[in-house]
Amino acid sequence: MDERIFKAIGKPLQRKEDLRLITGKGQFTDDFTLPGQVWAVMVRSPYPHARIESVDAQAALAMPGVLAVYSGADCLRDGLGPIPHSPVPSTKFDIRLTGPNGAKVFEGPHLLLPADKARHVGEAVAMVVAETRDQAQAAAENVMVNYEELPWVAATAAAAEAGAPKLWDELPDNVFVDSTFGDVAATDAAFAGAAHVVTMKSHIGRVTGVPLEPRAALGSYDAGTGRYTLYAGSGGAVRQKRELAQVLGEDPEKLRLLSFDVGGNFGTRNRAYVEFGLVLWASKKLGRPVKFRAERSESFLTDYQGRDLVTEVSLAIGKDGKFLAMRASNLSNVGSHCVSLSPLGKGSGLITGSYDIPAATLRARAVYSNTMSTQAYRSSGRPEVTFAIERLIDKAARELGFDRLELRRRNLVSPAQMPYPNAVGSTYDSGEYEINMDRALKLADWAGAGKRRAEARSRGKLLGLGFANYVESSFGSPKERADIIVRPDGIEVVIGTQPAGQGHETSFAQVTADLLGVTFEEVKITLGDTDIVSAGGGTHSGRSMRHASTVIALGSIDLIAKGQRLAAHLLGAEADAIVFDDGVFRLGEQCFTWFELARHADDEGLPEDLRGGLKVRRDNEMHTPVFPNGTCICEIEIDPETGSLEITRYSTVDDVGRCINPMIVHGQTHGGIAMGVGQALWEQCFIDEASGQPLSGSLMDYGMPRFDNLPSFNSEIAEVISPTNPFGVKAGGEGGTTPAPAVIMSAIEDALSEFGPLDIAMPATPGKIWAAIQKSRA
């Protein structure tokens, strides 16, 4: 993309979406109601692992308003298939995960309702449909399921042990992915000759998305047309249309998905849920629209969850502090069904972080367990590996006597090395990592921290400074489509990457406006209805702006060429004589705007290639990833008498490539920070070791970041242009999350340094901090 002056791109324009959303005119799933609709409620397993002996619905069916009770046996009789999650990342540059010994990855079939076993607490084993939701809930209590309890395993490391209770009979054990990457011989040689070896093992625990709107779905079947319609918020309506059609055994053209405003996603709604298929199937059987809405407790039990990685990392370091090699072993807990291996795959490619490490070896494994399935959760896999490398460098600096900042500087990848192939095969596109460090240190006033530390101690508080660099990746589905349509009153862009609050209606319009030379207000973005949006990759992995801006740019070239041909036809000239400049087609003193041309787009007698309106469709396939990066610094104060912690400063510099709308990017950064800090300090999907019962079942049991426990953030945007796409976009939605757990734990360690190395696991609650201090004092 040339470096011309943009009128809209780079400007903090107010979001088009906001007035609609803050005045109650949003279109969330639960906003939709259809005439004659009935309600579905799930009967869920109380056991982490149990054989389903029988489902007795007789008492429930006799209750008022109850229309039907369905079980897994009914699903099998009707030929319903499993959800085709396709969990193995498959773009050209993804890490190639395989089963043990190179075997194909076994994907435990994710049926809408299981007929054999329940594999986690909360798994739906039957569905009740009744006239009202209250009636369905009452009846669900009277569905009698006879279970045979089975041995279970929930903890990640325990699930991978020999002899652990097995979830799938088709496998010899629970480990179903086992792949090794890197240069084993070079790594071994470097470790053998290293002056120092430092090792650390961590468990980055399990969290969940806690969306504002609990999961919901409304399905309707029209017997007259043979078509299904589903209202369900998601990160990719086109993909889920294809997947659900396969579950139902129908042609995808018989299914319409409507996914407009999504009340919270962060990855947890990027894959289809069993309820989506169940309400469609039940609607056809009953001849009525069927609606489901989860209770908050159901969301905690059965929303796809995130993280849950056990990682062991080692660094081989020379006498001069240069990193020589790295070993890593990552074990990902996918839960009861393999919905996505993105967290393992995406993180695996980034184990060396921002650092020039010549050799590395990685063993990547995934394991089944009797827990809810995990899925790509904001910055999928990257916070986990960033935590590992950044905390290991802090440990190396502490144990070997290096300054932690100098040790990092000595090993950063330099701009001259870009594009930089890291030791496990990922090629970083661009970045200025040391400049990020310098900007962040100045932004955080690192040099003045000594005075603040002394002042805090005078108040009985311990001040700590946390530091972390990060590099993350944006891959995602490689295909995208845009339809650009010019009408006399404006321009419409139909595109398949859809938002969950990221402001796509605004930023996509900014790109289109500058490319076509019209005003921002004259562009409308259409998303989320698969009868209009025919293709597209959806929103995940930070892909949206990069793919959307690229396909809109390519489509704009086609549209301008078509406009030139139309103007030439109207003026009796050759197309190459028409000059397009800033939204106007000129031939000497004669000219047309886009909207004037659109009035002639259906004229009689147009050549074949100009008929059908002033519009184009453009498809694009783009596999090359980009690598956003940055530096994060956090300052905290701890009260050693209570363990309470306050974040007093939080500063970030994030390289997002070209920034289309800085206001939106800053908002994404702030939200991302809150998610990462939440995991470090409050959030955990806790499972009782004795019973396998999840104990984080409500907002009373699950700590969340709030406005009163976070500071104002100091965030700056770096724009190091990526050479991989027309605008040089990287991604701006996940950088806030990626370093946050590492930087918080780094700050806690620094604050408590006088007590020696303390073993405090996330979430670092006041109780854990206080107990660690007391243990050290004793």
Side-chain angles (χ1 to χ4, degrees):
M1 182 57 57
D2 60 43
E3 291 301 317
R4 60 194 173 99
I5 303 281
F6 292 117
K7 294 180 180 179
I9 291 172
K11 306 298 189 297
L13 302 183
Q14 289 191 352
R15 301 192 341 156
K16 290 189 173 191
E17 302 90 331
D18 288 346
L19 181 62
R20 169 172 57 83
L21 294 174
I22 66 176
T23 56
K25 296 176 182 176
Q27 292 182 295
F28 299 93
T29 305
D30 201 35
D31 288 323
F32 291 96
T33 298
L34 295 177
Q37 76 178 23
V38 293
W39 285 86
V41 167
M42 302 301 140
V43 178
R44 301 191 180 277
S45 170
Y47 302 109
H49 201 194
R51 197 175 312 282
I52 301 169
E53 299 285 352
S54 63
V55 178
D56 183 354
Q58 187 173 353
L61 287 168
M63 296 180 69
V66 175
L67 302 173
V69 177
Y70 301 116
S71 67
D74 297 311
C75 293
L76 292 178
R77 275 193 292 271
D78 281 11
L80 298 181
I83 302 173
H85 289 297
S86 304
V88 182
S90 58
T91 68
K92 292 179 181 178
F93 292 91
D94 275 304
I95 288 280
R96 299 300 177 197
L97 298 172
T98 68
N101 301 313
K104 182 181 178 182
V105 172
F106 172 75
E107 303 169 15
H110 195 184
L111 298 170
L112 300 188
L113 295 171
D116 59 344
K117 295 194 298 184
R119 291 177 172 83
H120 69 89
V121 173
E123 182 166 14
V125 296
M127 175 175 66
V128 176
V129 185
E131 293 285 351
T132 70
R133 191 162 181 254
D134 287 346
Q135 290 172 333
Q137 287 176 323
E141 297 290 336
N142 285 275
V143 175
M144 307 307 296
V145 183
N146 185 28
Y147 296 98
E148 176 194 352
E149 291 187 60
L150 298 172
W152 57 272
V153 62
T156 306
E161 292 176 357
K166 198 169 60 167
L167 273 76
W168 296 97
D169 295 337
E170 295 88 340
L171 294 173
D173 54 36
N174 292 320
V175 177
F176 70 103
V177 170
D178 194 342
S179 306
T180 299
F181 305 96
D183 190 329
V184 175
T187 304
D188 289 347
F191 269 85
H196 310 285
V197 173
V198 182
T199 297
M200 187 178 72
K201 188 173 184 178
S202 305
H203 179 210
I204 294 83
R206 183 178 287 233
V207 292
T208 189
V210 197
L212 286 173
E213 181 190 37
R215 190 168 78 252
L218 172 59
S220 177
Y221 177 76
D222 186 330
T225 62
R227 295 197 79 206
Y228 300 82
T229 300
L230 178 70
Y231 300 81
S234 75
V238 173
R239 172 182 179 146
Q240 293 192 6
K241 167 183 172 175
R242 183 180 68 250
E243 292 172 344
L244 292 169
Q246 190 170 329
V247 170
L248 297 168
E250 298 281 10
D251 186 315
E253 294 312 305
K254 288 189 175 182
L255 182 58
R256 179 188 188 189
L257 254 71
L258 300 167
S259 178
F260 299 121
D261 296 316
V262 180
N265 183 3
F266 315 118
T268 61
R269 287 180 171 164
N270 284 350
R271 300 296 176 103
Y273 285 91
V274 296
E275 293 90 355
F276 295 2
L278 288 170
V279 295
L280 292 169
W281 172 59
S283 178
K284 182 177 182 180
K285 292 179 77 68
L286 296 172
R288 304 270 295 274
V290 179
K291 188 170 185 178
F292 164 81
R293 183 180 70 235
E295 297 282 0
R296 178 62 65 186
S297 59
E298 284 182 285
S299 286
F300 273 108
L301 282 177
T302 61
D303 281 353
Y304 294 133
Q305 296 173 350
R307 313 297 185 223
D308 207 340
L309 183 86
V310 172
T311 178
E312 185 169 358
V313 287
S314 299
L315 265 180
I317 305 175
K319 289 181 180 179
D320 59 354
K322 288 291 287 182
F323 299 159
L324 306 176
M326 180 181 184
R327 288 195 185 108
S329 177
N330 291 347
L331 178 65
S332 175
N333 187 342
V334 305
S336 59
H337 300 83
C338 185
V339 172
S340 174
L341 287 168
S342 170
L344 181 63
K346 304 302 186 192
S348 292
L350 296 170
I351 59 168
T352 58
S354 309
Y355 306 100
D356 181 17
I357 303 178
T361 301
L362 163 71
R363 185 184 186 192
R365 293 183 295 158
V367 64
Y368 285 115
S369 71
N370 295 111
T371 60
M372 182 58 201
S373 299
T374 54
Q375 145 69 343
Y377 182 67
R378 197 170 192 171
S379 192
S380 171
R382 280 87 88 185
E384 297 95 308
V385 296
T386 299
F387 184 92
I389 184 67
E390 291 296 318
R391 299 297 295 121
L392 184 61
I393 293 173
D394 278 349
K395 181 180 181 182
R398 183 179 68 247
E399 292 185 354
L400 305 179
F402 290 102
D403 177 82
R404 54 177 167 161
L405 299 186
E406 176 56 31
L407 186 59
R408 286 174 166 89
R409 286 188 191 278
R410 197 168 298 184
N411 290 283
L412 285 172
V413 176
S414 71
Q417 293 175 281
M418 298 290 180
Y420 172 78
N422 76 7
V424 289
S426 295
T427 300
Y428 302 168
D429 56 324
S430 65
E432 297 174 344
Y433 299 164
E434 190 168 11
I435 292 175
N436 291 341
M437 276 189 65
D438 291 336
R439 287 181 63 182
L441 290 167
K442 183 177 180 180
L443 187 65
D445 187 23
W446 184 279
K451 291 181 179 179
R452 297 193 297 276
R453 197 186 297 269
E455 191 278 330
R457 188 170 287 275
S458 72
R459 293 183 282 107
K461 303 293 181 65
L462 304 176
L463 185 145
L465 285 168
F467 185 94
N469 290 315
Y470 77 91
V471 60
E472 58 125 344
S473 61
S474 175
F475 285 66
S477 174
K479 296 181 180 180
E480 196 53 70
R481 169 179 290 175
D483 292 315
I484 309 177
I485 306 150
V486 184
R487 299 188 177 91
D489 60 347
I491 295 176
E492 180 183 15
V493 178
V494 178
I495 195 158
T497 175
Q498 62 193 67
Q502 299 97 320
H504 291 177
E505 293 172 48
T506 301
S507 52
F508 293 178
Q510 289 178 255
V511 170
T512 307
D514 275 353
L515 289 168
L516 298 181
V518 298
T519 68
F520 166 71
E521 292 78 14
E522 289 170 322
V523 181
K524 174 189 175 186
I525 306 298
T526 296
L527 325 106
D529 181 347
T530 60
D531 273 7
I532 300 172
V533 180
S534 54
T539 295
H540 58 276
S541 191
R543 72 178 292 279
S544 296
M545 179 49 67
R546 180 167 52 97
H547 280 272
S549 65
T550 298
V551 77
I552 291 171
L554 295 172
S556 296
I557 294 170
D558 297 343
L559 188 66
I560 291 167
K562 189 170 186 178
Q564 288 173 316
R565 295 197 305 274
L566 179 55
H569 173 79
L570 296 173
L571 297 172
E574 295 296 323
D576 57 9
I578 305 298
V579 176
F580 175 78
D581 180 48
D582 201 21
V584 178
F585 296 85
R586 298 183 185 277
L587 179 65
E589 297 300 316
Q590 297 174 294
C591 64
F592 290 100
T593 67
W594 281 111
F595 310 116
E596 289 168 342
L597 273 185
R599 295 188 184 99
H600 295 281
D602 294 311
D603 286 357
E604 294 288 336
L606 288 177
E608 183 68 30
D609 69 324
L610 295 178
R611 293 176 188 171
L614 187 50
K615 60 184 179 182
V616 296
R617 168 172 288 177
R618 183 64 187 244
D619 290 282
N620 185 53
E621 187 166 339
M622 184 166 59
H623 287 263
T624 307
V626 291
F627 294 83
N629 56 86
T631 297
C632 179
I633 296 172
C634 175
E635 191 169 310
I636 64 169
E637 290 184 5
I638 291 176
D639 182 343
E641 301 308 314
T642 64
S644 64
L645 179 152
E646 180 185 1
I647 303 172
T648 56
R649 295 181 177 218
Y650 201 105
S651 307
T652 70
V653 174
D654 300 286
D655 173 9
V656 302
R658 190 183 300 279
C659 179
I660 303 299
N661 186 316
M663 181 180 69
I664 289 176
V665 171
H666 280 302
Q668 289 286 294
T669 300
H670 295 177
I673 292 169
M675 292 188 73
V677 170
Q679 170 151 25
L681 295 180
W682 306 292
E683 298 185 51
Q684 182 180 23
C685 293
F686 190 84
I687 294 177
D688 181 65
E689 294 180 359
S691 65
Q693 293 295 316
L695 299 184
S696 304
S698 74
L699 288 167
M700 294 291 289
D701 318 309
Y702 190 91
M704 289 285 289
R706 303 187 307 267
F707 78 94
D708 62 344
N709 57 22
L710 293 171
S712 294
F713 304 123
N714 298 316
S715 59
E716 289 188 1
I717 296 168
E719 291 187 271
V720 181
I721 301 303
S722 172
T724 64
N725 61 87
F727 280 97
V729 171
K730 291 177 182 172
E734 299 179 321
T737 306
T738 305
V743 81
I744 288 288
M745 299 309 293
S746 174
I748 291 172
E749 180 180 80
D750 184 56
L752 302 180
S753 59
E754 65 191 73
F755 299 103
L758 302 179
D759 184 16
I760 300 174
M762 294 189 295
T765 61
K768 289 181 183 178
I769 293 172
W770 182 86
I773 291 172
Q774 300 313 307
K775 183 177 179 181
S776 175
R777 284 174 170 170

